[in-house]
Amino acid sequence: MTTSASDKAIDDKAVPIYEFQYFPEERKLLGWIASEPGLEYSVFMKQDTRFNYTTAADLLIDGREVRDTVFGKDYGFEDEVAGITITSTTSRPFSFKQLETTDDP
């Protein structure tokens, strides 16, 4: 998997990925994007086409798995995830919510 500043989109515009980190021993990529409450977003995943074998990716948002994807010659090399499946016939787009904080006494 590779990533770049255009791998995530808010309102159909590419946005930068901050604090991008790669952990080869865990085969994990981490990063975050700036949020604006009420805006919808999508995540683009892409496998390097030089790989000639099948790979898989799990997309987690806020620690929750929202998609698993298989990449490779027989499956395609890109995937865009714009929401989460609720039921077999219903999905909800990804969107940013207003941050709510509480004061701890």
Side-chain angles (χ1 to χ4, degrees), residues 68-89:
D68 55 348
T69 300
V70 176
F71 295 97
K73 181 178 73 168
D74 297 326
Y75 300 95
F77 294 97
E78 297 181 9
D79 189 17
E80 177 181 6
V81 186
I84 187 167
T85 302
I86 306 299
T87 69
S88 61
T89 59

Side-chain angles (χ1 to χ4, degrees), residues 45-49 51 53 71-73 75-79:
M45 297 184 289
K46 183 176 182 178
Q47 175 180 308
D48 188 325
T49 56
F51 296 152
Y53 51 86
F71 295 97
K73 181 178 73 168
Y75 300 95
F77 294 97
E78 297 181 9
D79 189 17

